[in-house]
Amino acid sequence: MIQRERNLTWHASKVDRKEREERNGHGSCVIWFTGLSGSGKSTLAFALERELFDRGIFSYVLDGDNVRHGLNGDLGFSEADRKENLRRIAEMSRLFTDAGMIVLSAFISPHAQDREMVRNIVGPEQFAEVYVKCSLEECEKRDPKGLYVKARKGEIPEFTGISAPYDIPVEPEMVIDTEHTSLQESVDQLIQFLIQKGFAGRTYKD
Ligand SMILES: Nc1ncnc2c1ncn2[C@@H]1O[C@H](COP(=O)(O)OS(=O)(=O)O)[C@@H](OP(=O)(O)O)[C@H]1O
Ligand SMILES: Nc1ncnc2c1ncn2[C@@H]1O[C@H](COP(=O)(O)OP(=O)(O)O)[C@@H](O)[C@H]1O
């Protein structure tokens, strides 16, 4: 990040967090899905978003492929670019939580150090890391976008799991093993987690 000398003043909102939560009927937080390409991050995030929407909870998915088309279209997959990608997304996730949303962020986020940075930007009390666990063998078998085939041929440099590292989360708030858990079961587990943590709020109908 380029640091420039600037004359900036922070303007505080006249609507505080509690007021937003009371009106929305639920809290806000970031659920951060991390895992290999093809592990199921997007599938899970969008299924959870659907479920939350149907229950009247404000939620929005930030997804690797989508964000890299727009906001982060200038970034590649070097370690420095991945870090900057995640820093911007963390800042954006934080703004979305200020606005009262439950943010579902789905990014490979392969480096433990970068995930720690993200947690600190968002604020640990409203951040939950979800490790979307799936073996490399299974991800390669699924290969929903044909990227592993290309990576094995050397056509995609620095491909996570093949030619770039992935640090397995050590103490995530939750692990979802998509090789052994159905999509519906996983969504149910995530909903229960949100209720238990008090984020899903009083509008949740069960
Ligand atoms: N080299 C390389 N390594 C990993 N992934 C690659 C690469 N090149 C392109 N892609 C595609 O980009 C998606 C991952 O973007 P992310 O923003 O989630 O990556 S990161 O968190 O910055 O590491 C990833 O999406 P998912 O498959 O949904 O994970 C791929 O579609
Ligand atoms: N239990 C499961 N949970 C999530 N995805 C699953 C599961 N079982 C199989 N899949 C499949 O695995 C693939 C995961 O792709 P995707 O969600 O794009 O992963 P990622 O976003 O991690 O790259 C999809 O084709 C999905 O249908």
Side-chain angles (χ1 to χ4, degrees), residues 122-166:
V122 171
E125 66 293 334
Q126 52 178 358
F127 182 85
E129 182 177 284
V130 175
Y131 172 36
V132 183
K133 185 177 173 201
C134 186
S135 65
L136 178 63
E137 294 68 33
E138 175 62 17
C139 289
E140 274 202 84
K141 225 185 280 171
R142 291 180 185 172
D143 204 4
K145 300 172 218 159
L147 297 178
Y148 283 98
V149 169
K150 285 191 189 166
R152 285 287 183 201
K153 284 194 216 153
E155 290 170 14
I156 309 178
E158 300 181 283
F159 194 80
T160 308
I162 306 292
S163 46
Y166 178 81

mmCIF file of all heavy atoms in Angstrom, residues 122-166:
data_model
loop_
_atom_site.group_PDB
_atom_site.id
_atom_site.type_symbol
_atom_site.label_atom_id
_atom_site.label_comp_id
_atom_site.label_asym_id
_atom_site.label_seq_id
_atom_site.Cartn_x
_atom_site.Cartn_y
_atom_site.Cartn_z
ATOM 1 N N VAL A 122 -11.108 -6.337 10.345
ATOM 2 C CA VAL A 122 -12.557 -6.438 10.583
ATOM 3 C C VAL A 122 -12.865 -6.213 12.067
ATOM 4 O O VAL A 122 -13.860 -5.572 12.411
ATOM 5 C CB VAL A 122 -13.081 -7.828 10.137
ATOM 6 C CG1 VAL A 122 -14.522 -8.040 10.563
ATOM 7 C CG2 VAL A 122 -12.948 -7.973 8.618
ATOM 8 N N GLY A 123 -11.994 -6.729 12.923
ATOM 9 C CA GLY A 123 -12.241 -6.693 14.374
ATOM 10 C C GLY A 123 -12.596 -8.107 14.821
ATOM 11 O O GLY A 123 -13.623 -8.648 14.381
ATOM 12 N N PRO A 124 -11.758 -8.720 15.679
ATOM 13 C CA PRO A 124 -11.907 -10.135 16.026
ATOM 14 C C PRO A 124 -13.284 -10.506 16.573
ATOM 15 O O PRO A 124 -13.759 -11.620 16.371
ATOM 16 C CB PRO A 124 -10.834 -10.368 17.086
ATOM 17 C CG PRO A 124 -9.879 -9.233 16.958
ATOM 18 C CD PRO A 124 -10.622 -8.078 16.360
ATOM 19 N N GLU A 125 -13.947 -9.558 17.267
ATOM 20 C CA GLU A 125 -15.234 -9.898 17.908
ATOM 21 C C GLU A 125 -16.363 -10.084 16.894
ATOM 22 O O GLU A 125 -17.401 -10.664 17.216
ATOM 23 C CB GLU A 125 -15.604 -8.874 18.982
ATOM 24 C CG GLU A 125 -15.899 -7.458 18.516
ATOM 25 C CD GLU A 125 -14.685 -6.719 17.935
ATOM 26 O OE1 GLU A 125 -13.514 -7.027 18.283
ATOM 27 O OE2 GLU A 125 -14.911 -5.832 17.108
ATOM 28 N N GLN A 126 -16.161 -9.622 15.682
ATOM 29 C CA GLN A 126 -17.225 -9.842 14.698
ATOM 30 C C GLN A 126 -16.708 -10.567 13.456
ATOM 31 O O GLN A 126 -17.180 -10.361 12.343
ATOM 32 C CB GLN A 126 -17.920 -8.547 14.316
ATOM 33 C CG GLN A 126 -17.009 -7.443 13.887
ATOM 34 C CD GLN A 126 -17.791 -6.216 13.479
ATOM 35 O OE1 GLN A 126 -19.015 -6.217 13.490
ATOM 36 N NE2 GLN A 126 -17.104 -5.174 13.110
ATOM 37 N N PHE A 127 -15.723 -11.438 13.706
ATOM 38 C CA PHE A 127 -15.090 -12.157 12.602
ATOM 39 C C PHE A 127 -15.074 -13.645 12.910
ATOM 40 O O PHE A 127 -14.746 -14.056 14.023
ATOM 41 C CB PHE A 127 -13.653 -11.648 12.430
ATOM 42 C CG PHE A 127 -12.906 -12.284 11.302
ATOM 43 C CD1 PHE A 127 -13.021 -11.787 10.014
ATOM 44 C CD2 PHE A 127 -12.087 -13.382 11.525
ATOM 45 C CE1 PHE A 127 -12.336 -12.373 8.957
ATOM 46 C CE2 PHE A 127 -11.396 -13.974 10.484
ATOM 47 C CZ PHE A 127 -11.512 -13.467 9.196
ATOM 48 N N ALA A 128 -15.430 -14.458 11.934
ATOM 49 C CA ALA A 128 -15.340 -15.905 12.115
ATOM 50 C C ALA A 128 -14.712 -16.520 10.872
ATOM 51 O O ALA A 128 -15.181 -16.307 9.750
ATOM 52 C CB ALA A 128 -16.721 -16.501 12.355
ATOM 53 N N GLU A 129 -13.629 -17.246 11.105
ATOM 54 C CA GLU A 129 -12.947 -17.931 9.996
ATOM 55 C C GLU A 129 -13.551 -19.327 9.844
ATOM 56 O O GLU A 129 -13.620 -20.082 10.811
ATOM 57 C CB GLU A 129 -11.455 -18.029 10.334
ATOM 58 C CG GLU A 129 -10.609 -18.664 9.251
ATOM 59 C CD GLU A 129 -9.123 -18.655 9.643
ATOM 60 O OE1 GLU A 129 -8.487 -17.596 9.557
ATOM 61 O OE2 GLU A 129 -8.625 -19.713 10.064
ATOM 62 N N VAL A 130 -13.980 -19.632 8.644
ATOM 63 C CA VAL A 130 -14.536 -20.964 8.366
ATOM 64 C C VAL A 130 -13.613 -21.650 7.366
ATOM 65 O O VAL A 130 -13.455 -21.181 6.226
ATOM 66 C CB VAL A 130 -15.966 -20.857 7.783
ATOM 67 C CG1 VAL A 130 -16.492 -22.231 7.386
ATOM 68 C CG2 VAL A 130 -16.904 -20.202 8.792
ATOM 69 N N TYR A 131 -13.005 -22.721 7.824
ATOM 70 C CA TYR A 131 -12.118 -23.482 6.931
ATOM 71 C C TYR A 131 -12.970 -24.465 6.123
ATOM 72 O O TYR A 131 -13.577 -25.370 6.679
ATOM 73 C CB TYR A 131 -11.056 -24.211 7.770
ATOM 74 C CG TYR A 131 -10.195 -25.177 6.986
ATOM 75 C CD1 TYR A 131 -9.797 -24.902 5.661
ATOM 76 C CD2 TYR A 131 -9.758 -26.374 7.551
ATOM 77 C CE1 TYR A 131 -9.007 -25.793 4.952
ATOM 78 C CE2 TYR A 131 -8.955 -27.266 6.847
ATOM 79 C CZ TYR A 131 -8.592 -26.963 5.542
ATOM 80 O OH TYR A 131 -7.810 -27.846 4.828
ATOM 81 N N VAL A 132 -13.003 -24.230 4.822
ATOM 82 C CA VAL A 132 -13.742 -25.137 3.931
ATOM 83 C C VAL A 132 -12.754 -26.226 3.529
ATOM 84 O O VAL A 132 -11.903 -26.035 2.652
ATOM 85 C CB VAL A 132 -14.313 -24.366 2.722
ATOM 86 C CG1 VAL A 132 -15.146 -25.305 1.852
ATOM 87 C CG2 VAL A 132 -15.171 -23.191 3.196
ATOM 88 N N LYS A 133 -12.888 -27.346 4.245
ATOM 89 C CA LYS A 133 -11.891 -28.402 4.135
ATOM 90 C C LYS A 133 -12.226 -29.359 2.995
ATOM 91 O O LYS A 133 -13.367 -29.843 2.908
ATOM 92 C CB LYS A 133 -11.873 -29.160 5.471
ATOM 93 C CG LYS A 133 -10.823 -30.212 5.574
ATOM 94 C CD LYS A 133 -10.843 -30.834 6.960
ATOM 95 C CE LYS A 133 -9.888 -32.011 6.970
ATOM 96 N NZ LYS A 133 -10.196 -32.929 8.058
ATOM 97 N N CYS A 134 -11.257 -29.611 2.164
ATOM 98 C CA CYS A 134 -11.451 -30.570 1.067
ATOM 99 C C CYS A 134 -10.056 -30.927 0.564
ATOM 100 O O CYS A 134 -9.232 -30.027 0.343
ATOM 101 C CB CYS A 134 -12.278 -29.905 -0.044
ATOM 102 S SG CYS A 134 -12.742 -31.031 -1.365
ATOM 103 N N SER A 135 -9.806 -32.231 0.384
ATOM 104 C CA SER A 135 -8.463 -32.627 -0.041
ATOM 105 C C SER A 135 -8.164 -32.101 -1.442
ATOM 106 O O SER A 135 -9.077 -31.896 -2.252
ATOM 107 C CB SER A 135 -8.345 -34.154 -0.029
ATOM 108 O OG SER A 135 -9.229 -34.693 -0.994
ATOM 109 N N LEU A 136 -6.880 -31.926 -1.714
ATOM 110 C CA LEU A 136 -6.458 -31.472 -3.045
ATOM 111 C C LEU A 136 -6.944 -32.484 -4.110
ATOM 112 O O LEU A 136 -7.403 -32.086 -5.187
ATOM 113 C CB LEU A 136 -4.926 -31.342 -3.078
ATOM 114 C CG LEU A 136 -4.315 -30.929 -4.415
ATOM 115 C CD1 LEU A 136 -4.787 -29.536 -4.833
ATOM 116 C CD2 LEU A 136 -2.780 -30.952 -4.334
ATOM 117 N N GLU A 137 -6.878 -33.772 -3.767
ATOM 118 C CA GLU A 137 -7.300 -34.816 -4.718
ATOM 119 C C GLU A 137 -8.760 -34.610 -5.123
ATOM 120 O O GLU A 137 -9.111 -34.671 -6.294
ATOM 121 C CB GLU A 137 -7.139 -36.221 -4.088
ATOM 122 C CG GLU A 137 -5.705 -36.647 -3.806
ATOM 123 C CD GLU A 137 -5.026 -35.835 -2.685
ATOM 124 O OE1 GLU A 137 -5.716 -35.406 -1.731
ATOM 125 O OE2 GLU A 137 -3.798 -35.612 -2.787
ATOM 126 N N GLU A 138 -9.615 -34.353 -4.118
ATOM 127 C CA GLU A 138 -11.044 -34.167 -4.411
ATOM 128 C C GLU A 138 -11.269 -32.860 -5.189
ATOM 129 O O GLU A 138 -12.068 -32.826 -6.123
ATOM 130 C CB GLU A 138 -11.843 -34.171 -3.094
ATOM 131 C CG GLU A 138 -13.329 -33.872 -3.243
ATOM 132 C CD GLU A 138 -14.116 -34.885 -4.086
ATOM 133 O OE1 GLU A 138 -13.613 -36.016 -4.309
ATOM 134 O OE2 GLU A 138 -15.224 -34.533 -4.548
ATOM 135 N N CYS A 139 -10.556 -31.809 -4.805
ATOM 136 C CA CYS A 139 -10.705 -30.521 -5.528
ATOM 137 C C CYS A 139 -10.317 -30.714 -6.992
ATOM 138 O O CYS A 139 -10.977 -30.190 -7.897
ATOM 139 C CB CYS A 139 -9.836 -29.436 -4.895
ATOM 140 S SG CYS A 139 -10.422 -28.881 -3.292
ATOM 141 N N GLU A 140 -9.266 -31.476 -7.202
ATOM 142 C CA GLU A 140 -8.824 -31.728 -8.591
ATOM 143 C C GLU A 140 -9.840 -32.562 -9.347
ATOM 144 O O GLU A 140 -10.054 -32.372 -10.535
ATOM 145 C CB GLU A 140 -7.476 -32.459 -8.591
ATOM 146 C CG GLU A 140 -6.318 -31.520 -8.500
ATOM 147 C CD GLU A 140 -5.017 -32.127 -9.014
ATOM 148 O OE1 GLU A 140 -4.769 -32.104 -10.241
ATOM 149 O OE2 GLU A 140 -4.246 -32.617 -8.169
ATOM 150 N N LYS A 141 -10.466 -33.485 -8.643
ATOM 151 C CA LYS A 141 -11.496 -34.321 -9.272
ATOM 152 C C LYS A 141 -12.692 -33.454 -9.664
ATOM 153 O O LYS A 141 -13.249 -33.579 -10.737
ATOM 154 C CB LYS A 141 -11.931 -35.410 -8.285
ATOM 155 C CG LYS A 141 -12.029 -36.795 -8.915
ATOM 156 C CD LYS A 141 -12.573 -37.814 -7.940
ATOM 157 C CE LYS A 141 -11.497 -38.325 -6.967
ATOM 158 N NZ LYS A 141 -12.085 -39.151 -5.888
ATOM 159 N N ARG A 142 -13.061 -32.536 -8.759
ATOM 160 C CA ARG A 142 -14.211 -31.658 -9.046
ATOM 161 C C ARG A 142 -13.861 -30.689 -10.178
ATOM 162 O O ARG A 142 -14.640 -30.485 -11.086
ATOM 163 C CB ARG A 142 -14.568 -30.825 -7.801
ATOM 164 C CG ARG A 142 -15.145 -31.642 -6.679
ATOM 165 C CD ARG A 142 -15.454 -30.712 -5.496
ATOM 166 N NE ARG A 142 -15.918 -31.463 -4.334
ATOM 167 C CZ ARG A 142 -16.115 -30.922 -3.136
ATOM 168 N NH1 ARG A 142 -15.881 -29.642 -2.936
ATOM 169 N NH2 ARG A 142 -16.546 -31.666 -2.141
ATOM 170 N N ASP A 143 -12.750 -30.055 -10.053
ATOM 171 C CA ASP A 143 -12.228 -29.057 -11.006
ATOM 172 C C ASP A 143 -13.337 -28.332 -11.774
ATOM 173 O O ASP A 143 -13.378 -28.386 -13.019
ATOM 174 C CB ASP A 143 -11.258 -29.754 -11.989
ATOM 175 C CG ASP A 143 -10.257 -28.756 -12.603
ATOM 176 O OD1 ASP A 143 -10.286 -27.568 -12.212
ATOM 177 O OD2 ASP A 143 -9.464 -29.171 -13.466
ATOM 178 N N PRO A 144 -14.215 -27.611 -11.061
ATOM 179 C CA PRO A 144 -15.411 -27.049 -11.707
ATOM 180 C C PRO A 144 -15.112 -26.063 -12.831
ATOM 181 O O PRO A 144 -15.933 -25.883 -13.727
ATOM 182 C CB PRO A 144 -16.163 -26.344 -10.560
ATOM 183 C CG PRO A 144 -15.168 -26.156 -9.466
ATOM 184 C CD PRO A 144 -14.144 -27.248 -9.615
ATOM 185 N N LYS A 145 -13.912 -25.439 -12.792
ATOM 186 C CA LYS A 145 -13.591 -24.463 -13.850
ATOM 187 C C LYS A 145 -12.455 -24.939 -14.746
ATOM 188 O O LYS A 145 -11.945 -24.163 -15.558
ATOM 189 C CB LYS A 145 -13.198 -23.130 -13.207
ATOM 190 C CG LYS A 145 -14.284 -22.524 -12.350
ATOM 191 C CD LYS A 145 -13.756 -21.304 -11.601
ATOM 192 C CE LYS A 145 -14.322 -21.247 -10.208
ATOM 193 N NZ LYS A 145 -13.510 -20.422 -9.320
ATOM 194 N N GLY A 146 -12.025 -26.176 -14.563
ATOM 195 C CA GLY A 146 -10.933 -26.700 -15.391
ATOM 196 C C GLY A 146 -9.582 -26.057 -15.094
ATOM 197 O O GLY A 146 -8.647 -26.163 -15.900
ATOM 198 N N LEU A 147 -9.468 -25.430 -13.916
ATOM 199 C CA LEU A 147 -8.226 -24.706 -13.609
ATOM 200 C C LEU A 147 -7.088 -25.646 -13.190
ATOM 201 O O LEU A 147 -5.921 -25.379 -13.484
ATOM 202 C CB LEU A 147 -8.473 -23.674 -12.497
ATOM 203 C CG LEU A 147 -9.467 -22.554 -12.831
ATOM 204 C CD1 LEU A 147 -9.660 -21.628 -11.635
ATOM 205 C CD2 LEU A 147 -8.967 -21.753 -14.030
ATOM 206 N N TYR A 148 -7.441 -26.749 -12.495
ATOM 207 C CA TYR A 148 -6.384 -27.681 -12.061
ATOM 208 C C TYR A 148 -5.708 -28.329 -13.265
ATOM 209 O O TYR A 148 -4.491 -28.515 -13.280
ATOM 210 C CB TYR A 148 -6.949 -28.742 -11.104
ATOM 211 C CG TYR A 148 -7.168 -28.204 -9.706
ATOM 212 C CD1 TYR A 148 -8.432 -27.770 -9.291
ATOM 213 C CD2 TYR A 148 -6.109 -28.105 -8.800
ATOM 214 C CE1 TYR A 148 -8.633 -27.270 -8.019
ATOM 215 C CE2 TYR A 148 -6.305 -27.608 -7.515
ATOM 216 C CZ TYR A 148 -7.573 -27.188 -7.128
ATOM 217 O OH TYR A 148 -7.761 -26.685 -5.857
ATOM 218 N N VAL A 149 -6.501 -28.677 -14.280
ATOM 219 C CA VAL A 149 -5.937 -29.278 -15.499
ATOM 220 C C VAL A 149 -4.919 -28.309 -16.101
ATOM 221 O O VAL A 149 -3.793 -28.690 -16.427
ATOM 222 C CB VAL A 149 -7.062 -29.621 -16.519
ATOM 223 C CG1 VAL A 149 -6.476 -29.984 -17.870
ATOM 224 C CG2 VAL A 149 -7.928 -30.754 -15.999
ATOM 225 N N LYS A 150 -5.325 -27.046 -16.181
ATOM 226 C CA LYS A 150 -4.419 -26.031 -16.744
ATOM 227 C C LYS A 150 -3.183 -25.849 -15.850
ATOM 228 O O LYS A 150 -2.070 -25.717 -16.347
ATOM 229 C CB LYS A 150 -5.141 -24.681 -16.861
ATOM 230 C CG LYS A 150 -6.131 -24.605 -17.996
ATOM 231 C CD LYS A 150 -6.546 -23.148 -18.159
ATOM 232 C CE LYS A 150 -7.697 -23.020 -19.144
ATOM 233 N NZ LYS A 150 -8.331 -21.718 -19.078
ATOM 234 N N ALA A 151 -3.415 -25.816 -14.533
ATOM 235 C CA ALA A 151 -2.297 -25.604 -13.594
ATOM 236 C C ALA A 151 -1.293 -26.755 -13.694
ATOM 237 O O ALA A 151 -0.080 -26.538 -13.676
ATOM 238 C CB ALA A 151 -2.822 -25.469 -12.166
ATOM 239 N N ARG A 152 -1.790 -27.995 -13.808
ATOM 240 C CA ARG A 152 -0.904 -29.166 -13.931
ATOM 241 C C ARG A 152 -0.080 -29.098 -15.210
ATOM 242 O O ARG A 152 1.044 -29.575 -15.273
ATOM 243 C CB ARG A 152 -1.717 -30.466 -13.919
ATOM 244 C CG ARG A 152 -2.245 -30.861 -12.554
ATOM 245 C CD ARG A 152 -1.139 -31.373 -11.638
ATOM 246 N NE ARG A 152 -1.688 -31.808 -10.361
ATOM 247 C CZ ARG A 152 -0.978 -31.924 -9.253
ATOM 248 N NH1 ARG A 152 0.308 -31.632 -9.242
ATOM 249 N NH2 ARG A 152 -1.531 -32.331 -8.138
ATOM 250 N N LYS A 153 -0.659 -28.479 -16.229
ATOM 251 C CA LYS A 153 0.074 -28.340 -17.505
ATOM 252 C C LYS A 153 1.047 -27.160 -17.467
ATOM 253 O O LYS A 153 1.728 -26.879 -18.442
ATOM 254 C CB LYS A 153 -0.920 -28.109 -18.651
ATOM 255 C CG LYS A 153 -1.670 -29.349 -19.094
ATOM 256 C CD LYS A 153 -2.339 -29.043 -20.450
ATOM 257 C CE LYS A 153 -3.672 -29.714 -20.576
ATOM 258 N NZ LYS A 153 -4.607 -29.041 -21.474
ATOM 259 N N GLY A 154 1.014 -26.431 -16.348
ATOM 260 C CA GLY A 154 1.918 -25.283 -16.212
ATOM 261 C C GLY A 154 1.375 -24.035 -16.876
ATOM 262 O O GLY A 154 2.105 -23.052 -17.073
ATOM 263 N N GLU A 155 0.085 -24.063 -17.214
ATOM 264 C CA GLU A 155 -0.494 -22.903 -17.914
ATOM 265 C C GLU A 155 -0.944 -21.792 -16.951
ATOM 266 O O GLU A 155 -1.211 -20.679 -17.379
ATOM 267 C CB GLU A 155 -1.686 -23.351 -18.773
ATOM 268 C CG GLU A 155 -1.243 -24.177 -19.974
ATOM 269 C CD GLU A 155 -2.391 -24.852 -20.718
ATOM 270 O OE1 GLU A 155 -3.565 -24.483 -20.493
ATOM 271 O OE2 GLU A 155 -2.107 -25.764 -21.499
ATOM 272 N N ILE A 156 -1.094 -22.149 -15.646
ATOM 273 C CA ILE A 156 -1.422 -21.109 -14.650
ATOM 274 C C ILE A 156 -0.300 -21.101 -13.613
ATOM 275 O O ILE A 156 -0.153 -22.068 -12.862
ATOM 276 C CB ILE A 156 -2.768 -21.371 -13.932
ATOM 277 C CG1 ILE A 156 -3.885 -21.632 -14.944
ATOM 278 C CG2 ILE A 156 -3.127 -20.200 -13.018
ATOM 279 C CD1 ILE A 156 -5.229 -21.944 -14.307
ATOM 280 N N PRO A 157 0.481 -20.029 -13.595
ATOM 281 C CA PRO A 157 1.566 -19.986 -12.595
ATOM 282 C C PRO A 157 1.012 -19.724 -11.200
ATOM 283 O O PRO A 157 -0.091 -19.191 -11.055
ATOM 284 C CB PRO A 157 2.431 -18.809 -13.077
ATOM 285 C CG PRO A 157 1.501 -17.942 -13.866
ATOM 286 C CD PRO A 157 0.422 -18.827 -14.438
ATOM 287 N N GLU A 158 1.759 -20.116 -10.205
ATOM 288 C CA GLU A 158 1.420 -19.847 -8.787
ATOM 289 C C GLU A 158 -0.008 -20.256 -8.462
ATOM 290 O O GLU A 158 -0.766 -19.487 -7.867
ATOM 291 C CB GLU A 158 1.606 -18.351 -8.470
ATOM 292 C CG GLU A 158 3.022 -17.848 -8.688
ATOM 293 C CD GLU A 158 3.181 -16.375 -8.352
ATOM 294 O OE1 GLU A 158 2.750 -15.533 -9.164
ATOM 295 O OE2 GLU A 158 3.730 -16.081 -7.276
ATOM 296 N N PHE A 159 -0.374 -21.471 -8.867
ATOM 297 C CA PHE A 159 -1.733 -21.930 -8.583
ATOM 298 C C PHE A 159 -1.775 -22.602 -7.210
ATOM 299 O O PHE A 159 -1.038 -23.553 -6.942
ATOM 300 C CB PHE A 159 -2.242 -22.874 -9.677
ATOM 301 C CG PHE A 159 -3.729 -23.092 -9.588
ATOM 302 C CD1 PHE A 159 -4.613 -22.139 -10.093
ATOM 303 C CD2 PHE A 159 -4.257 -24.210 -8.946
ATOM 304 C CE1 PHE A 159 -5.987 -22.305 -9.976
ATOM 305 C CE2 PHE A 159 -5.632 -24.388 -8.829
ATOM 306 C CZ PHE A 159 -6.490 -23.428 -9.352
ATOM 307 N N THR A 160 -2.668 -22.105 -6.369
ATOM 308 C CA THR A 160 -2.744 -22.594 -4.977
ATOM 309 C C THR A 160 -2.940 -24.116 -4.932
ATOM 310 O O THR A 160 -3.830 -24.652 -5.590
ATOM 311 C CB THR A 160 -3.913 -21.903 -4.239
ATOM 312 O OG1 THR A 160 -3.774 -20.499 -4.395
ATOM 313 C CG2 THR A 160 -3.911 -22.261 -2.759
ATOM 314 N N GLY A 161 -2.099 -24.772 -4.143
ATOM 315 C CA GLY A 161 -2.194 -26.226 -3.978
ATOM 316 C C GLY A 161 -1.298 -26.973 -4.944
ATOM 317 O O GLY A 161 -0.925 -28.118 -4.701
ATOM 318 N N ILE A 162 -0.967 -26.333 -6.070
ATOM 319 C CA ILE A 162 -0.119 -26.985 -7.082
ATOM 320 C C ILE A 162 1.271 -26.341 -7.098
ATOM 321 O O ILE A 162 2.273 -27.021 -6.893
ATOM 322 C CB ILE A 162 -0.745 -26.867 -8.509
ATOM 323 C CG1 ILE A 162 -2.188 -27.404 -8.520
ATOM 324 C CG2 ILE A 162 0.129 -27.570 -9.552
ATOM 325 C CD1 ILE A 162 -2.318 -28.888 -8.307
ATOM 326 N N SER A 163 1.294 -25.051 -7.323
ATOM 327 C CA SER A 163 2.586 -24.367 -7.415
ATOM 328 C C SER A 163 2.656 -23.156 -6.479
ATOM 329 O O SER A 163 3.547 -22.326 -6.609
ATOM 330 C CB SER A 163 2.848 -23.938 -8.857
ATOM 331 O OG SER A 163 1.687 -23.333 -9.408
ATOM 332 N N ALA A 164 1.689 -23.042 -5.601
ATOM 333 C CA ALA A 164 1.704 -22.000 -4.563
ATOM 334 C C ALA A 164 1.110 -22.616 -3.299
ATOM 335 O O ALA A 164 0.263 -23.518 -3.382
ATOM 336 C CB ALA A 164 0.895 -20.777 -5.014
ATOM 337 N N PRO A 165 1.570 -22.164 -2.125
ATOM 338 C CA PRO A 165 1.176 -22.822 -0.870
ATOM 339 C C PRO A 165 -0.223 -22.465 -0.371
ATOM 340 O O PRO A 165 -0.792 -21.450 -0.755
ATOM 341 C CB PRO A 165 2.227 -22.301 0.120
ATOM 342 C CG PRO A 165 2.616 -20.960 -0.417
ATOM 343 C CD PRO A 165 2.497 -21.035 -1.917
ATOM 344 N N TYR A 166 -0.745 -23.343 0.488
ATOM 345 C CA TYR A 166 -1.970 -23.042 1.250
ATOM 346 C C TYR A 166 -1.702 -23.434 2.708
ATOM 347 O O TYR A 166 -1.413 -24.610 2.988
ATOM 348 C CB TYR A 166 -3.189 -23.825 0.711
ATOM 349 C CG TYR A 166 -4.420 -23.516 1.546
ATOM 350 C CD1 TYR A 166 -5.155 -22.351 1.313
ATOM 351 C CD2 TYR A 166 -4.794 -24.342 2.607
ATOM 352 C CE1 TYR A 166 -6.244 -22.018 2.117
ATOM 353 C CE2 TYR A 166 -5.887 -24.018 3.411
ATOM 354 C CZ TYR A 166 -6.602 -22.860 3.159
ATOM 355 O OH TYR A 166 -7.675 -22.525 3.961
#
